[in-house]
Amino acid sequence: MLSRVANSLYWMSRNVERAENNARILDVQLLQMIEAADEELVRDSDWRLIFEICDSTETMRRIKANPGYEESELVQYLAMAQENANSVASCAMVVRENARISRDHIPDDYWETWNRSYLALTDMDLKNSSVRDMRSFLENIKTTTLISQGIVESSMSRGVAYQMIKIAKWLERAEKTARILNVVCERTRERIRKEKTDDYYFWLAALRMTNGYNAYLKSNPPRMEPKNVLAFLISDKNFPRSIRYCLDHVRDAVEELEGGKVSHYSWELYAKLDEVRTSFSETDIGSLDSDELMQFLNDFQDGCNEISRIFSSTYYLTDPEAETAMAFQSQGMDMKGITSMKYKIEHTNIFDYETIVDQSMNTIRLKPRTDECQRLLSYRADITPATLTKEHVDIFGNNVETFFIAEHHQHLEVKSTSIVSIQKSPFIHRIDYSPEMNIIFHSQLFAEHYMAFLSNTAYTYITPEQMELVDRELGTMNNPVQYAIDVTEYVFEHFTYDGESTTVTTKASESFDLKKGVCQDITHVMLGILRSKNIPARYVSGYLYVGEDSALVGDAASHAWVEFMVPGIGWVGLDPTNNVEALENHIRVGVGRDYNDVSPVQGVYRGGSQSLDVKVSVSLLDQ
């Protein structure tokens, strides 16, 4: 599984757990507001507890400083606020988006469950919902999370996708329980110092927030003894929200993921898991005083956070802040808040023949691909004169349609209309090229597997003299990831985009001397340079969305760019025509060794010469 797929599944699952945890914590507070009179409850202290667990006290003070402040504003911020990346609604949005991206790897029922919850959310007035409406929403989210987790357990095969989902769930749960205990201990200690008396109110709240009140009473006396509650929520082997239970399941899932082996890249994760779990057996919680207990919990929470960090680093997962920086889709939405883009592409090829053609055989590669970052939502090909098409997938995984026109014709029109959704997945600059990657890169198995994309073709061949010019400027290739980035910049700076200087048959060696050409020529040059350094690289044909006020070029017709193989990561796209990563603006149709493998329209006919008119339109659709 590519790291980008694992990343979507991981943060989907973490946000499912985060949404359920925050929904339950907030619901506990709303229930206490309803059941308790003001004189029975120090509400400011209650909200401080909630915000320290789910956000920060600084945020709470800022909200309370608003003119005309009402308590419902605190509820709204934690439940619905668009600007709060950890609000229940924001988490639900992240889940739905990543579930949409990962639909090929999760049960259909899982996607449909979260999509229904999202659609219900879009019908709500997010800024003016009543407390009753927000409680109803929280109940819906809690139910949705439980149903979706049940779907995973009952429907998913126990493969890599399943293990990623489970690891994310248990890590998120362990961190939240550690956070709750840390905050509750601190608040309890403050209360005891001020009032010189034991107060069990916060320990009751901790059990309710972790959904452990009933389970605790069944295994402990009804008295809220702090040390018993701590031992239950930290080290109980049977309660599914205790930290020990969570980390035991994380380790089991990691072993499944690694096939029971400790590898050179995973030993640090195993070591940290075992270190934190060992602290359960070596620490007698009942013997600790309040200061020692706070230090233990602080170290414990740091340990849980470190496990998450190491896991993300081990499997090349992105920073959670990048994943949760997401806004809701509304008419006034800023483009920066969208993590996926939806496009409509219309591509028309019009052939006019000098004489009547009595028959023709054609193949078209116009149907966009579906993969881990791109989903084809609809596609239609209209051909005039009307004919039937037969579809197959070629050796490179491209969708190919073949059609035969037997009747006489002097005009042929092929129009394709596609709607595509693309995940925003900036990636290459996050890659840390490790020694393990380097070993794979130089292995014989790697070279043999990607042989087709290591050998230059007539289109991509660069002469030794031309490579000497590149080497003088770029130097020795030691890191293929950084080298590919440097080549992208080199080609961009030395070549001019010029639609009149070359033809469809121009070779890379010719374009190199001209120092100009269209995206096809610039891509061929970059492919030749990378392959000369034994970096597997392939030609990508597709479309480019430019939009308004953009410096990008290449949207007048089909666009082309490069993908190169990073060991352990997968194919990564770079656009040398624009010196950018191939991200959410690049719509992939076909891949191959060069243009000849992915030409949009190819065919043979019997008749005179022809003229070709190509029209391409790429428009951004509302999500």
Side-chain angles (χ1 to χ4, degrees):
M1 176 179 291
L2 294 180
S3 292
R4 281 174 284 185
V5 179
N7 190 72
S8 293
L9 293 169
Y10 179 79
W11 287 110
M12 177 190 73
S13 184
R14 287 205 68 147
N15 277 277
V16 168
E17 186 66 24
R18 190 172 301 173
E20 198 257 341
N21 286 332
N22 289 351
R24 187 189 325 100
I25 291 168
L26 187 53
D27 199 40
V28 167
Q29 174 67 0
L30 295 178
L31 185 63
Q32 291 170 342
M33 288 170 57
I34 294 171
E35 292 178 345
D38 288 341
E39 62 268 23
E40 298 176 273
L41 196 63
V42 183
R43 288 199 170 186
D44 186 71
S45 180
D46 289 339
W47 279 114
R48 181 184 171 191
L49 175 72
I50 300 299
F51 267 81
E52 283 194 337
I53 292 172
C54 298
D55 198 274
S56 69
T57 52
E58 289 77 10
T59 302
M60 184 186 75
R61 296 190 193 101
R62 176 176 54 79
I63 295 173
K64 286 191 170 189
N66 293 336
Y69 157 77
E70 295 182 3
E71 197 170 27
S72 60
E73 293 178 47
L74 298 175
V75 184
Q76 197 276 337
Y77 181 83
L78 294 178
M80 317 295 291
Q82 301 179 28
E83 67 273 16
N84 177 11
N86 288 315
S87 72
V88 178
S90 292
C91 291
M93 184 67 184
V94 173
V95 174
R96 188 260 186 180
E97 179 67 9
N98 281 295
R100 184 187 62 78
I101 293 166
S102 309
R103 285 184 65 179
D104 293 339
H105 301 272
I106 59 176
D108 288 340
D109 289 341
Y110 189 103
W111 153 254
E112 291 167 2
T113 297
W114 277 104
N115 193 46
R116 281 194 299 270
S117 182
Y118 162 76
L119 294 175
L121 176 61
T122 58
D123 290 336
M124 297 181 65
D125 185 348
L126 301 180
K127 294 185 178 180
N128 301 303
S129 299
S130 65
V131 173
R132 182 183 296 273
D133 291 336
M134 285 187 279
R135 279 210 69 199
S136 177
F137 165 69
L138 296 176
E139 286 295 331
N140 175 270
I141 289 296
K142 287 193 292 182
T143 301
T144 300
T145 58
L146 294 174
I147 291 173
S148 63
Q149 289 174 353
I151 291 169
V152 167
E153 294 301 326
S154 63
S155 303
M156 283 193 73
S157 61
R158 272 39 179 176
V160 175
Y162 174 84
Q163 302 303 339
M164 272 291 172
I165 289 173
K166 300 308 292 183
I167 289 170
K169 169 186 172 180
W170 297 119
L171 281 176
E172 180 70 27
R173 185 173 290 185
E175 286 186 21
K176 182 62 78 173
T177 300
R179 178 67 177 169
I180 290 171
L181 292 179
N182 203 317
V183 173
V184 165
C185 279
E186 181 64 34
R187 298 286 72 77
T188 302
R189 189 168 64 164
E190 287 182 7
R191 183 74 67 87
I192 292 174
R193 287 175 177 174
K194 289 181 180 179
E195 302 182 10
K196 307 300 181 183
T197 181
D198 288 339
D199 190 331
Y200 303 109
Y201 165 74
F202 286 128
W203 294 108
L204 174 62
L207 287 170
R208 286 181 170 174
M209 289 175 184
T210 55
N211 204 21
Y213 180 67
N214 291 331
Y216 172 82
L217 291 181
K218 290 176 181 177
S219 58
N220 294 274
R223 177 179 170 81
M224 290 291 107
E225 182 64 41
K227 298 294 176 65
N228 289 342
V229 176
L230 272 170
F232 176 74
L233 293 178
I234 290 176
S235 56
D236 191 283
K237 295 181 179 180
N238 300 312
F239 179 55
R241 290 188 181 271
S242 79
I243 300 173
R244 177 168 193 165
Y245 187 98
C246 294
L247 293 186
D248 283 348
H249 279 68
V250 170
R251 198 185 194 287
D252 291 344
V254 170
E255 285 190 358
E256 287 290 330
L257 201 61
E258 292 297 317
K261 299 178 182 179
V262 179
S263 303
H264 55 274
Y265 60 84
S266 62
W267 69 267
E268 186 180 4
L269 177 60
Y270 278 107
K272 191 63 184 181
L273 278 166
D274 290 341
E275 176 189 329
V276 174
R277 291 163 72 238
T278 300
S279 64
F280 295 125
S281 55
E282 294 182 349
T283 303
D284 181 4
I285 296 174
S287 66
L288 302 179
D289 61 30
S290 60
D291 291 334
E292 291 172 333
L293 185 59
M294 281 305 304
Q295 185 60 48
F296 171 76
L297 289 173
N298 284 334
D299 293 342
F300 204 84
Q301 186 176 350
D302 290 343
C304 290
N305 294 338
E306 182 68 4
I307 289 171
S308 292
R309 185 199 65 77
I310 294 173
F311 182 83
S312 295
S313 175
T314 300
Y315 295 101
Y316 302 100
L317 308 179
T318 58
D319 190 322
E321 291 183 2
E323 292 298 311
T324 54
M326 173 181 278
F328 286 88
Q329 307 201 7
S330 61
Q331 290 182 344
M333 183 177 190
D334 192 298
M335 290 291 290
K336 294 179 181 179
I338 300 178
T339 62
S340 68
M341 312 289 274
K342 186 188 290 185
Y343 301 104
K344 179 179 181 181
I345 307 103
E346 293 180 318
H347 184 156
T348 305
N349 290 274
I350 301 174
F351 296 88
D352 286 309
Y353 302 101
E354 184 180 34
T355 61
I356 293 178
V357 173
D358 59 10
Q359 58 183 338
S360 65
M361 173 73 76
N362 302 274
T363 59
I364 57 175
R365 291 175 175 83
L366 298 170
K367 186 176 183 179
R369 301 164 71 95
T370 289
D371 55 29
E372 71 277 3
C373 293
Q374 175 175 297
R375 177 173 290 274
L376 177 63
L377 302 178
S378 69
Y379 170 79
R380 175 177 176 175
D382 296 306
I383 301 171
T384 306
T387 183
L388 296 177
T389 64
K390 184 176 181 180
E391 186 172 349
H392 71 276
V393 177
D394 68 16
I395 192 173
F396 300 113
N398 304 316
N399 299 298
V400 184
E401 295 172 276
T402 304
F403 61 91
F404 175 70
I405 301 177
E407 65 182 270
H408 290 191
H409 58 283
Q410 202 166 351
H411 175 89
L412 172 62
E413 181 173 324
V414 180
K415 179 180 180 181
S416 66
T417 305
S418 310
I419 296 179
V420 175
S421 178
I422 300 179
Q423 175 190 10
K424 182 178 181 179
S425 56
F427 202 72
I428 186 170
H429 293 285
R430 297 177 183 272
I431 297 175
D432 180 16
Y433 186 68
S434 66
E436 294 77 22
M437 286 182 178
N438 195 51
I439 291 172
I440 296 173
F441 178 79
H442 289 96
S443 69
Q444 182 178 353
L445 182 62
F446 185 76
E448 290 176 351
H449 189 76
Y450 294 106
M451 181 63 70
F453 303 110
L454 284 169
S455 303
N456 271 311
T457 67
Y459 269 113
T460 65
Y461 174 73
I462 298 291
T463 68
E465 293 76 20
Q466 291 169 335
M467 275 306 304
E468 283 183 15
L469 297 176
V470 177
D471 291 339
R472 287 177 197 169
E473 197 157 330
L474 298 185
T476 304
M477 192 284 292
N478 296 314
N479 178 338
V481 176
Q482 186 58 52
Y483 188 80
I485 295 172
D486 294 341
V487 171
T488 304
E489 184 174 356
Y490 170 88
V491 174
F492 175 76
E493 290 179 349
H494 287 75
F495 289 76
T496 302
Y497 184 87
D498 184 350
E500 303 297 326
S501 59
T502 59
T503 68
V504 72
T505 61
T506 302
K507 307 300 190 293
S509 58
E510 301 173 86
S511 302
F512 193 98
D513 292 334
L514 290 171
K515 293 294 185 293
K516 56 185 175 181
V518 294
C519 55
Q520 169 187 319
D521 306 304
I522 296 171
T523 297
H524 282 151
V525 169
M526 181 169 174
L527 287 173
I529 296 172
L530 293 182
R531 291 174 183 172
S532 296
K533 299 300 181 181
N534 295 317
I535 300 175
R538 65 186 187 184
Y539 186 102
V540 186
S541 173
Y543 306 103
L544 178 68
Y545 174 72
V546 172
E548 298 179 3
D549 302 322
S550 174
L552 299 177
V553 296
D555 65 327
S558 296
H559 192 53
W561 60 96
V562 171
E563 286 182 345
F564 72 101
M565 172 54 63
V566 181
I569 299 296
W571 293 103
V572 177
L574 290 170
D575 181 352
T577 304
N578 295 291
N579 193 26
V580 296
E581 293 182 52
L583 302 176
E584 72 277 11
N585 287 3
H586 292 71
I587 304 152
R588 300 163 74 245
V589 173
V591 299
R593 296 164 299 176
D594 55 31
Y595 171 80
N596 196 50
D597 288 334
V598 295
S599 176
V601 181
Q602 293 177 325
V604 294
Y605 66 93
R606 190 158 61 187
S609 61
Q610 66 175 21
S611 63
L612 171 63
D613 182 23
V614 179
K615 300 176 182 177
V616 172
S617 169
V618 182
S619 54
L620 180 66
L621 302 179
D622 293 333
Q623 298 290 311

